[in-house]
Amino acid sequence: MSQANRSLVTIDDLSNREIEALFCLADEMSGSMSDQSGLCQGKIMASLFFEPSTRTRLSFEAAMLRLGGQVISAADMGATSLAKGESIADMARVVGSYADIIVIRHPWEGAARVVADYAGVPVINAGDGSHEHPTQTLCDLYTITKERQTIRGLKIALCGDLKYGRTIHSLTYALARLGAARIYFFSGPGVEMPAHVLGKLTQDYGGKLIKGPGDDTQSLAETLGGQSVDAIYVTPTDSHQLALMPGVQIKVDIRDGAIYVTRLQKERVGDTGPGAASKKDYPVIDARLLRRKGLERTLVMHPLPRIDELAYEIDADPRSMYFEQAARGVPVRMALIALLLGAKELIIPQEEDSLVQKLDYHVYEGDPGVKCANRLCVSNQETEARYIKPKFKIVSLDPLTLRCIYCEHELHPQYIASSDWHEGKLENKKYHSAESHWIRKIKPENLIIFDSENEAQARGFKPSKYVTVDR
Ligand code: NCD
C-alpha cells in the first residue's frame, strides 16, 4: 500500500515493514540533507502546536524546509478561532484547504484522530494529550536500530511517568510489535502504566504481562536503584515459559538494551494529581547508577525535555543517546513527510508482519448509549460533543471491553440489549447483564450497550432474568 495521503495518528498506522523502510529512507536523506530540496517544492505544511514544543515543532519545520516546502503555523490556541469556540473539525477542514499536510499537537486525547478525519489532507500527530506521540517513537526506534541494528530480542526498561507520558505509550506498542524481548515498567509513584495501555499490549500484540513479580525482578530493581518494577511485558517472540513459571527467577538483564526515562508530565499531573508529591521516589539516571554492574553497554534514552530525572553529568557518556534522538528527528521527519506527500514511495511486499495480528474489531457507535469515561478525551469536550459520536472497538466479550477509537481508554459496561428485541412483542424489550450468555447471542450489528441500568430503563427496557449473573 502506498503511503501517500495517509495520516500518522498512532504508531500502528505504520506497519513494521514500513517503519524499517522509512529508516532506510531517513539514512539516505541524512547522507545528503541539502540535496533534498526538490522533493516537496510547492507544498505547504501547516504546523499547529497548541502545547509547548521545541524539538518536535522545529524538527518538523526544518524537515519541510529541507524538502523544499513551505510552512505556515499557529502556535497559540488563544490566538486561533478555537478560542472563540470553533470545533477542531471546522479548523481541520479550513486548514486542510490551505495546506497539503498538517502537523498537530493538542492537549486533548484523540484530537489528532478528529483532525485526520476532517482535514482531507495527511495529518501527523505530534502529541495528543497523554495518548500518543508516534514520531518521537520513530526517532527512538531509529536511534536504537542505529546503535543495536535491531529491536528484536532487546530488553528495555521504561522509567518515569508511564501514565501520562505519550512517548512511552507509542514506544511500548512499537517495541511489542517489533519483537523486543521484554519491556520492564519502572514507574514513578502514582504514575504507573495505565490499564488501557496494558490491555492493548496483551490484547493486540499477544504478549504476556507479569504483574507485581516481586523477587523475580529484584536484580533489575537493584540495578535501577532499589525500587520495585511494576510489571514486565514479555513479547511473543521471547520464550516466556520460564518467566511464567511461578518461583522461577527471571534473569533480568538490560545490558544490551536501553533504559528509557521520562520527566513527570507535570502539566497533566497538576499540583495535586498522582505522583505530584512523591518527587523523592521518582527514578533518576545519574553517573552513580551507570557505574552499576550490568549497565556497561546500556543505552540511556530520553525524549527531552528533562527536569531532575536525568543528570547533566552523564551527557558526555557514550551510552547517553538523548541528543542523538533529537538530532535524528530531522531526517526521520523528512522521510515521513516525503512519504505522506507522495514525493517518495516505499515498495513493500504484501504485509508479512507475523507479530501484528490482523485485528478486525467490530466498531460500536455508542450514540446515545455509552460514553468514553476519560474526561480529557476529545469526544467529551463541549465544542466537539456537538458532532463527534462516541465510537468504540469491541476488543473483548469476556469481559465486555470497549476501546474508545479516539483516546483508546477502555470501558467495561455492565448491561446490554438487542435492537432486534421486539418481534412485535413489547414484553421482549429486555436488557441483560453483559456477563450473561446474551453477549454472544446478540448479533454485533444489533447490540445496544448501556452505561447503567437507569439508562436501560430510561430507554424503555425492562430487566431480564439474566440481569445478574453468578459467576
Ligand atoms: C515529549 C512530549 O512532548 O511528549 N517531548 C518531545 O516531543 N520530545 C516529552 C515530554 O514533554 O516530556
Side-chain angles (χ1 to χ4, degrees), residues 167-222:
T167 63
I168 289 279
H169 302 157
S170 298
L171 180 60
T172 312
Y173 300 143
L175 291 174
R177 271 175 43 192
L178 289 161
R182 289 181 195 163
I183 312 172
Y184 303 104
F185 303 136
F186 187 76
S187 65
V191 283
E192 291 83 20
M193 195 65 108
H196 70 276
V197 177
L198 298 178
K200 185 166 165 180
L201 278 175
T202 48
Q203 189 74 35
D204 290 14
Y205 310 123
K208 298 275 182 235
L209 190 71
I210 309 171
K211 274 193 172 171
D215 289 349
D216 289 350
T217 52
Q218 204 49 39
S219 56
L220 179 67
E222 277 160 16

Tab-separated table of all heavy atoms in Angstrom, residues 167-222:
chain	number	residue	atom	x	y	z
A	167	THR	N	4.977	9.616	24.849
A	167	THR	CA	6.082	8.987	24.114
A	167	THR	C	6.221	7.532	24.559
A	167	THR	O	6.524	6.653	23.761
A	167	THR	CB	7.416	9.709	24.374
A	167	THR	OG1	7.751	9.599	25.755
A	167	THR	CG2	7.334	11.181	24.018
A	168	ILE	N	5.984	7.313	25.857
A	168	ILE	CA	6.080	5.962	26.422
A	168	ILE	C	5.029	5.045	25.793
A	168	ILE	O	5.309	3.885	25.470
A	168	ILE	CB	5.863	6.036	27.960
A	168	ILE	CG1	7.061	6.691	28.641
A	168	ILE	CG2	5.514	4.684	28.563
A	168	ILE	CD1	8.234	5.776	28.872
A	169	HIS	N	3.820	5.570	25.620
A	169	HIS	CA	2.750	4.707	25.104
A	169	HIS	C	3.050	4.271	23.666
A	169	HIS	O	2.985	3.090	23.343
A	169	HIS	CB	1.397	5.424	25.205
A	169	HIS	CG	1.076	5.820	26.620
A	169	HIS	ND1	0.210	6.824	26.944
A	169	HIS	CD2	1.551	5.356	27.798
A	169	HIS	CE1	0.147	6.947	28.267
A	169	HIS	NE2	0.966	6.079	28.808
A	170	SER	N	3.410	5.232	22.813
A	170	SER	CA	3.705	4.851	21.420
A	170	SER	C	4.910	3.910	21.367
A	170	SER	O	4.917	2.937	20.607
A	170	SER	CB	4.015	6.091	20.575
A	170	SER	OG	2.917	6.963	20.526
A	171	LEU	N	5.911	4.210	22.186
A	171	LEU	CA	7.123	3.384	22.150
A	171	LEU	C	6.827	1.954	22.619
A	171	LEU	O	7.320	0.981	22.030
A	171	LEU	CB	8.218	4.023	23.026
A	171	LEU	CG	9.548	3.282	23.081
A	171	LEU	CD1	10.185	3.139	21.697
A	171	LEU	CD2	10.539	3.977	24.025
A	172	THR	N	6.024	1.822	23.660
A	172	THR	CA	5.724	0.482	24.167
A	172	THR	C	5.052	-0.365	23.093
A	172	THR	O	5.410	-1.529	22.886
A	172	THR	CB	4.761	0.572	25.375
A	172	THR	OG1	5.247	1.547	26.261
A	172	THR	CG2	4.635	-0.747	26.091
A	173	TYR	N	4.073	0.237	22.393
A	173	TYR	CA	3.379	-0.530	21.346
A	173	TYR	C	4.376	-0.959	20.256
A	173	TYR	O	4.362	-2.089	19.784
A	173	TYR	CB	2.267	0.311	20.702
A	173	TYR	CG	1.192	0.774	21.669
A	173	TYR	CD1	0.611	2.037	21.545
A	173	TYR	CD2	0.749	-0.050	22.699
A	173	TYR	CE1	-0.387	2.467	22.415
A	173	TYR	CE2	-0.239	0.377	23.578
A	173	TYR	CZ	-0.803	1.633	23.434
A	173	TYR	OH	-1.777	2.060	24.299
A	174	ALA	N	5.240	-0.012	19.877
A	174	ALA	CA	6.179	-0.328	18.790
A	174	ALA	C	7.168	-1.409	19.225
A	174	ALA	O	7.471	-2.326	18.456
A	174	ALA	CB	6.919	0.933	18.368
A	175	LEU	N	7.665	-1.319	20.452
A	175	LEU	CA	8.625	-2.326	20.924
A	175	LEU	C	7.967	-3.703	20.949
A	175	LEU	O	8.578	-4.706	20.569
A	175	LEU	CB	9.126	-1.975	22.332
A	175	LEU	CG	10.029	-0.741	22.438
A	175	LEU	CD1	10.322	-0.432	23.913
A	175	LEU	CD2	11.335	-0.934	21.666
A	176	ALA	N	6.708	-3.721	21.399
A	176	ALA	CA	5.989	-5.003	21.454
A	176	ALA	C	5.857	-5.578	20.042
A	176	ALA	O	6.111	-6.753	19.800
A	176	ALA	CB	4.620	-4.805	22.081
A	177	ARG	N	5.473	-4.727	19.101
A	177	ARG	CA	5.264	-5.194	17.729
A	177	ARG	C	6.548	-5.615	17.048
A	177	ARG	O	6.575	-6.537	16.240
A	177	ARG	CB	4.675	-4.053	16.905
A	177	ARG	CG	3.196	-3.993	16.930
A	177	ARG	CD	2.742	-2.773	16.202
A	177	ARG	NE	3.467	-2.561	14.968
A	177	ARG	CZ	3.422	-1.437	14.260
A	177	ARG	NH1	2.678	-0.435	14.677
A	177	ARG	NH2	4.098	-1.310	13.148
A	178	LEU	N	7.628	-4.875	17.337
A	178	LEU	CA	8.873	-5.138	16.618
A	178	LEU	C	9.699	-6.231	17.284
A	178	LEU	O	10.816	-6.507	16.867
A	178	LEU	CB	9.686	-3.850	16.496
A	178	LEU	CG	9.095	-2.827	15.513
A	178	LEU	CD1	9.653	-1.436	15.760
A	178	LEU	CD2	9.366	-3.236	14.063
A	179	GLY	N	9.162	-6.825	18.354
A	179	GLY	CA	9.789	-8.027	18.898
A	179	GLY	C	10.884	-7.793	19.915
A	179	GLY	O	11.774	-8.635	20.076
A	180	ALA	N	10.848	-6.657	20.623
A	180	ALA	CA	11.740	-6.530	21.785
A	180	ALA	C	11.381	-7.696	22.700
A	180	ALA	O	10.217	-8.090	22.773
A	180	ALA	CB	11.488	-5.202	22.499
A	181	ALA	N	12.362	-8.253	23.362
A	181	ALA	CA	12.068	-9.461	24.127
A	181	ALA	C	11.214	-9.154	25.346
A	181	ALA	O	10.208	-9.805	25.599
A	181	ALA	CB	13.357	-10.140	24.546
A	182	ARG	N	11.660	-8.182	26.098
A	182	ARG	CA	10.925	-7.847	27.322
A	182	ARG	C	10.943	-6.357	27.531
A	182	ARG	O	11.915	-5.675	27.210
A	182	ARG	CB	11.577	-8.494	28.532
A	182	ARG	CG	11.362	-9.967	28.522
A	182	ARG	CD	11.952	-10.638	29.706
A	182	ARG	NE	11.996	-12.050	29.387
A	182	ARG	CZ	12.705	-12.943	30.007
A	182	ARG	NH1	13.456	-12.578	31.011
A	182	ARG	NH2	12.673	-14.192	29.647
A	183	ILE	N	9.857	-5.872	28.106
A	183	ILE	CA	9.789	-4.455	28.459
A	183	ILE	C	9.512	-4.409	29.962
A	183	ILE	O	8.547	-5.019	30.437
A	183	ILE	CB	8.669	-3.734	27.687
A	183	ILE	CG1	8.740	-4.080	26.190
A	183	ILE	CG2	8.765	-2.236	27.884
A	183	ILE	CD1	7.549	-3.572	25.385
A	184	TYR	N	10.355	-3.713	30.689
A	184	TYR	CA	10.188	-3.591	32.136
A	184	TYR	C	9.584	-2.236	32.444
A	184	TYR	O	10.063	-1.212	31.948
A	184	TYR	CB	11.546	-3.701	32.835
A	184	TYR	CG	12.283	-4.975	32.517
A	184	TYR	CD1	13.366	-4.977	31.636
A	184	TYR	CD2	11.893	-6.179	33.083
A	184	TYR	CE1	14.041	-6.144	31.326
A	184	TYR	CE2	12.568	-7.363	32.777
A	184	TYR	CZ	13.631	-7.329	31.900
A	184	TYR	OH	14.296	-8.487	31.587
A	185	PHE	N	8.550	-2.225	33.253
A	185	PHE	CA	7.894	-0.962	33.615
A	185	PHE	C	8.345	-0.557	35.011
A	185	PHE	O	8.093	-1.268	35.980
A	185	PHE	CB	6.373	-1.117	33.581
A	185	PHE	CG	5.851	-1.569	32.247
A	185	PHE	CD1	4.888	-2.556	32.148
A	185	PHE	CD2	6.342	-1.002	31.072
A	185	PHE	CE1	4.426	-2.980	30.917
A	185	PHE	CE2	5.885	-1.420	29.837
A	185	PHE	CZ	4.924	-2.414	29.763
A	186	PHE	N	8.963	0.575	35.087
A	186	PHE	CA	9.588	1.033	36.321
A	186	PHE	C	9.145	2.487	36.527
A	186	PHE	O	9.808	3.422	36.118
A	186	PHE	CB	11.099	0.920	36.092
A	186	PHE	CG	11.958	1.183	37.272
A	186	PHE	CD1	12.089	0.248	38.279
A	186	PHE	CD2	12.680	2.360	37.364
A	186	PHE	CE1	12.917	0.497	39.361
A	186	PHE	CE2	13.514	2.611	38.436
A	186	PHE	CZ	13.627	1.680	39.445
A	187	SER	N	7.955	2.632	37.112
A	187	SER	CA	7.330	3.962	37.106
A	187	SER	C	7.653	4.767	38.349
A	187	SER	O	8.060	4.212	39.376
A	187	SER	CB	5.817	3.809	37.017
A	187	SER	OG	5.358	3.179	38.180
A	188	GLY	N	7.427	6.075	38.251
A	188	GLY	CA	7.409	6.895	39.443
A	188	GLY	C	6.137	6.562	40.221
A	188	GLY	O	5.176	6.049	39.644
A	189	PRO	N	6.100	6.847	41.524
A	189	PRO	CA	4.914	6.504	42.303
A	189	PRO	C	3.675	7.242	41.806
A	189	PRO	O	3.729	8.441	41.538
A	189	PRO	CB	5.262	6.956	43.730
A	189	PRO	CG	6.629	7.496	43.692
A	189	PRO	CD	7.151	7.510	42.308
A	190	GLY	N	2.593	6.497	41.644
A	190	GLY	CA	1.327	7.114	41.231
A	190	GLY	C	1.211	7.339	39.731
A	190	GLY	O	0.172	7.782	39.256
A	191	VAL	N	2.273	7.068	38.991
A	191	VAL	CA	2.184	7.288	37.535
A	191	VAL	C	2.557	5.989	36.792
A	191	VAL	O	3.379	5.960	35.890
A	191	VAL	CB	3.038	8.497	37.064
A	191	VAL	CG1	2.329	9.797	37.394
A	191	VAL	CG2	4.434	8.507	37.694
A	192	GLU	N	1.899	4.907	37.226
A	192	GLU	CA	2.134	3.598	36.614
A	192	GLU	C	1.471	3.524	35.235
A	192	GLU	O	0.597	4.319	34.909
A	192	GLU	CB	1.530	2.485	37.504
A	192	GLU	CG	2.251	2.278	38.829
A	192	GLU	CD	1.797	3.275	39.895
A	192	GLU	OE1	0.696	3.839	39.726
A	192	GLU	OE2	2.546	3.497	40.875
A	193	MET	N	1.876	2.515	34.485
A	193	MET	CA	1.318	2.322	33.138
A	193	MET	C	-0.199	2.128	33.245
A	193	MET	O	-0.667	1.286	34.006
A	193	MET	CB	1.974	1.088	32.512
A	193	MET	CG	1.776	0.968	31.048
A	193	MET	SD	2.564	2.299	30.137
A	193	MET	CE	3.933	1.443	29.390
A	194	PRO	N	-0.988	2.899	32.486
A	194	PRO	CA	-2.448	2.797	32.626
A	194	PRO	C	-3.001	1.471	32.116
A	194	PRO	O	-2.426	0.840	31.218
A	194	PRO	CB	-2.967	3.944	31.756
A	194	PRO	CG	-1.795	4.618	31.168
A	194	PRO	CD	-0.549	3.903	31.535
A	195	ALA	N	-4.163	1.116	32.663
A	195	ALA	CA	-4.785	-0.174	32.333
A	195	ALA	C	-5.054	-0.304	30.827
A	195	ALA	O	-4.885	-1.375	30.266
A	195	ALA	CB	-6.088	-0.311	33.107
A	196	HIS	N	-5.433	0.800	30.175
A	196	HIS	CA	-5.790	0.645	28.756
A	196	HIS	C	-4.563	0.351	27.902
A	196	HIS	O	-4.656	-0.338	26.888
A	196	HIS	CB	-6.567	1.862	28.235
A	196	HIS	CG	-5.755	3.112	28.116
A	196	HIS	ND1	-5.527	3.962	29.154
A	196	HIS	CD2	-5.119	3.651	27.054
A	196	HIS	CE1	-4.800	4.987	28.742
A	196	HIS	NE2	-4.529	4.815	27.469
A	197	VAL	N	-3.396	0.846	28.330
A	197	VAL	CA	-2.171	0.548	27.560
A	197	VAL	C	-1.790	-0.919	27.785
A	197	VAL	O	-1.478	-1.651	26.833
A	197	VAL	CB	-1.016	1.492	27.962
A	197	VAL	CG1	0.255	1.128	27.210
A	197	VAL	CG2	-1.401	2.945	27.688
A	198	LEU	N	-1.870	-1.360	29.041
A	198	LEU	CA	-1.569	-2.769	29.325
A	198	LEU	C	-2.562	-3.671	28.591
A	198	LEU	O	-2.196	-4.707	28.051
A	198	LEU	CB	-1.635	-3.031	30.834
A	198	LEU	CG	-0.630	-2.241	31.691
A	198	LEU	CD1	-0.833	-2.544	33.165
A	198	LEU	CD2	0.811	-2.553	31.279
A	199	GLY	N	-3.831	-3.226	28.564
A	199	GLY	CA	-4.869	-4.006	27.876
A	199	GLY	C	-4.548	-4.156	26.400
A	199	GLY	O	-4.606	-5.250	25.837
A	200	LYS	N	-4.142	-3.062	25.765
A	200	LYS	CA	-3.839	-3.123	24.324
A	200	LYS	C	-2.613	-3.998	24.071
A	200	LYS	O	-2.561	-4.750	23.101
A	200	LYS	CB	-3.635	-1.699	23.795
A	200	LYS	CG	-3.436	-1.634	22.300
A	200	LYS	CD	-3.577	-0.228	21.766
A	200	LYS	CE	-3.026	-0.124	20.369
A	200	LYS	NZ	-3.139	1.206	19.793
A	201	LEU	N	-1.630	-3.892	24.964
A	201	LEU	CA	-0.420	-4.696	24.792
A	201	LEU	C	-0.737	-6.184	24.747
A	201	LEU	O	-0.220	-6.915	23.907
A	201	LEU	CB	0.542	-4.449	25.963
A	201	LEU	CG	1.414	-3.208	25.886
A	201	LEU	CD1	2.209	-3.054	27.172
A	201	LEU	CD2	2.357	-3.278	24.686
A	202	THR	N	-1.581	-6.626	25.665
A	202	THR	CA	-1.856	-8.063	25.710
A	202	THR	C	-2.905	-8.450	24.670
A	202	THR	O	-2.793	-9.498	24.045
A	202	THR	CB	-2.317	-8.488	27.114
A	202	THR	OG1	-3.331	-7.586	27.543
A	202	THR	CG2	-1.186	-8.445	28.101
A	203	GLN	N	-3.884	-7.590	24.459
A	203	GLN	CA	-4.983	-7.918	23.554
A	203	GLN	C	-4.531	-7.889	22.091
A	203	GLN	O	-4.820	-8.786	21.319
A	203	GLN	CB	-6.093	-6.879	23.762
A	203	GLN	CG	-7.387	-7.182	23.077
A	203	GLN	CD	-8.151	-8.294	23.779
A	203	GLN	OE1	-8.110	-8.395	25.000
A	203	GLN	NE2	-8.805	-9.124	23.014
A	204	ASP	N	-3.805	-6.843	21.710
A	204	ASP	CA	-3.480	-6.662	20.288
A	204	ASP	C	-2.158	-7.309	19.884
A	204	ASP	O	-2.004	-7.732	18.755
A	204	ASP	CB	-3.384	-5.174	19.933
A	204	ASP	CG	-4.740	-4.488	19.962
A	204	ASP	OD1	-5.684	-5.084	20.505
A	204	ASP	OD2	-4.853	-3.368	19.447
A	205	TYR	N	-1.189	-7.320	20.812
A	205	TYR	CA	0.137	-7.786	20.397
A	205	TYR	C	0.466	-9.170	20.941
A	205	TYR	O	1.540	-9.696	20.678
A	205	TYR	CB	1.217	-6.779	20.807
A	205	TYR	CG	0.882	-5.360	20.396
A	205	TYR	CD1	0.813	-4.350	21.330
A	205	TYR	CD2	0.604	-5.066	19.069
A	205	TYR	CE1	0.480	-3.057	20.957
A	205	TYR	CE2	0.269	-3.772	18.693
A	205	TYR	CZ	0.203	-2.778	19.638
A	205	TYR	OH	-0.139	-1.505	19.268
A	206	GLY	N	-0.449	-9.685	21.761
A	206	GLY	CA	-0.355	-11.094	22.119
A	206	GLY	C	0.700	-11.477	23.138
A	206	GLY	O	0.893	-12.656	23.391
A	207	GLY	N	1.377	-10.528	23.754
A	207	GLY	CA	2.384	-10.908	24.743
A	207	GLY	C	1.772	-11.175	26.096
A	207	GLY	O	0.559	-11.181	26.250
A	208	LYS	N	2.620	-11.447	27.050
A	208	LYS	CA	2.161	-11.746	28.415
A	208	LYS	C	2.612	-10.644	29.349
A	208	LYS	O	3.727	-10.132	29.221
A	208	LYS	CB	2.794	-13.052	28.917
A	208	LYS	CG	2.409	-14.239	28.110
A	208	LYS	CD	1.085	-14.807	28.600
A	208	LYS	CE	0.712	-16.044	27.814
A	208	LYS	NZ	-0.591	-16.006	27.204
A	209	LEU	N	1.763	-10.364	30.304
A	209	LEU	CA	2.104	-9.361	31.292
A	209	LEU	C	2.302	-10.060	32.626
A	209	LEU	O	1.432	-10.818	33.057
A	209	LEU	CB	0.942	-8.370	31.391
A	209	LEU	CG	1.254	-7.135	32.198
A	209	LEU	CD1	2.237	-6.244	31.448
A	209	LEU	CD2	-0.038	-6.369	32.453
A	210	ILE	N	3.438	-9.825	33.226
A	210	ILE	CA	3.678	-10.400	34.550
A	210	ILE	C	3.646	-9.243	35.524
A	210	ILE	O	4.525	-8.379	35.500
A	210	ILE	CB	5.056	-11.098	34.601
A	210	ILE	CG1	5.178	-12.064	33.428
A	210	ILE	CG2	5.241	-11.812	35.918
A	210	ILE	CD1	6.560	-12.629	33.266
A	211	LYS	N	2.604	-9.228	36.341
A	211	LYS	CA	2.420	-8.069	37.219
A	211	LYS	C	2.991	-8.332	38.590
A	211	LYS	O	2.949	-9.453	39.082
A	211	LYS	CB	0.937	-7.762	37.357
A	211	LYS	CG	0.418	-6.883	36.266
A	211	LYS	CD	-0.947	-6.380	36.635
A	211	LYS	CE	-1.407	-5.335	35.651
A	211	LYS	NZ	-2.791	-4.979	35.860
A	212	GLY	N	3.467	-7.276	39.215
A	212	GLY	CA	3.929	-7.351	40.599
A	212	GLY	C	4.778	-8.563	40.867
A	212	GLY	O	4.497	-9.358	41.763
A	213	PRO	N	5.832	-8.794	40.082
A	213	PRO	CA	6.554	-10.053	40.191
A	213	PRO	C	7.474	-10.177	41.402
A	213	PRO	O	8.118	-11.192	41.575
A	213	PRO	CB	7.350	-10.122	38.888
A	213	PRO	CG	7.431	-8.722	38.409
A	213	PRO	CD	6.410	-7.886	39.098
A	214	GLY	N	7.517	-9.184	42.244
A	214	GLY	CA	8.274	-9.281	43.497
A	214	GLY	C	9.717	-9.676	43.281
A	214	GLY	O	10.439	-9.025	42.523
A	215	ASP	N	10.117	-10.791	43.888
A	215	ASP	CA	11.521	-11.198	43.881
A	215	ASP	C	12.089	-11.349	42.473
A	215	ASP	O	13.266	-11.163	42.236
A	215	ASP	CB	11.679	-12.562	44.560
A	215	ASP	CG	11.459	-12.416	46.044
A	215	ASP	OD1	11.398	-11.261	46.514
A	215	ASP	OD2	11.341	-13.460	46.712
A	216	ASP	N	11.210	-11.748	41.551
A	216	ASP	CA	11.690	-12.041	40.205
A	216	ASP	C	12.421	-10.862	39.580
A	216	ASP	O	13.292	-11.029	38.738
A	216	ASP	CB	10.516	-12.412	39.290
A	216	ASP	CG	9.967	-13.771	39.641
A	216	ASP	OD1	10.616	-14.462	40.443
A	216	ASP	OD2	8.910	-14.116	39.122
A	217	THR	N	12.013	-9.675	39.935
A	217	THR	CA	12.624	-8.523	39.282
A	217	THR	C	13.640	-7.840	40.178
A	217	THR	O	14.115	-6.753	39.880
A	217	THR	CB	11.557	-7.502	38.899
A	217	THR	OG1	10.803	-7.240	40.060
A	217	THR	CG2	10.692	-7.993	37.786
A	218	GLN	N	13.996	-8.544	41.232
A	218	GLN	CA	14.887	-7.927	42.209
A	218	GLN	C	16.177	-7.420	41.569
A	218	GLN	O	16.647	-6.342	41.876
A	218	GLN	CB	15.196	-8.945	43.320
A	218	GLN	CG	15.598	-8.322	44.631
A	218	GLN	CD	14.641	-7.212	45.064
A	218	GLN	OE1	13.436	-7.321	44.903
A	218	GLN	NE2	15.191	-6.120	45.559
A	219	SER	N	16.715	-8.216	40.631
A	219	SER	CA	18.015	-7.819	40.092
A	219	SER	C	17.907	-6.507	39.319
A	219	SER	O	18.768	-5.644	39.429
A	219	SER	CB	18.620	-8.911	39.222
A	219	SER	OG	17.741	-9.243	38.201
A	220	LEU	N	16.800	-6.331	38.578
A	220	LEU	CA	16.645	-5.061	37.858
A	220	LEU	C	16.396	-3.941	38.862
A	220	LEU	O	16.938	-2.851	38.750
A	220	LEU	CB	15.488	-5.112	36.859
A	220	LEU	CG	15.286	-3.797	36.097
A	220	LEU	CD1	16.461	-3.511	35.172
A	220	LEU	CD2	14.008	-3.790	35.303
A	221	ALA	N	15.565	-4.257	39.835
A	221	ALA	CA	15.262	-3.247	40.845
A	221	ALA	C	16.560	-2.793	41.498
A	221	ALA	O	16.780	-1.600	41.695
A	221	ALA	CB	14.308	-3.831	41.875
A	222	GLU	N	17.439	-3.748	41.786
A	222	GLU	CA	18.715	-3.366	42.403
A	222	GLU	C	19.545	-2.549	41.430
A	222	GLU	O	20.114	-1.527	41.776
A	222	GLU	CB	19.481	-4.620	42.850
A	222	GLU	CG	18.982	-5.075	44.200
A	222	GLU	CD	19.327	-6.527	44.492
A	222	GLU	OE1	20.197	-7.086	43.796
A	222	GLU	OE2	18.706	-7.090	45.409
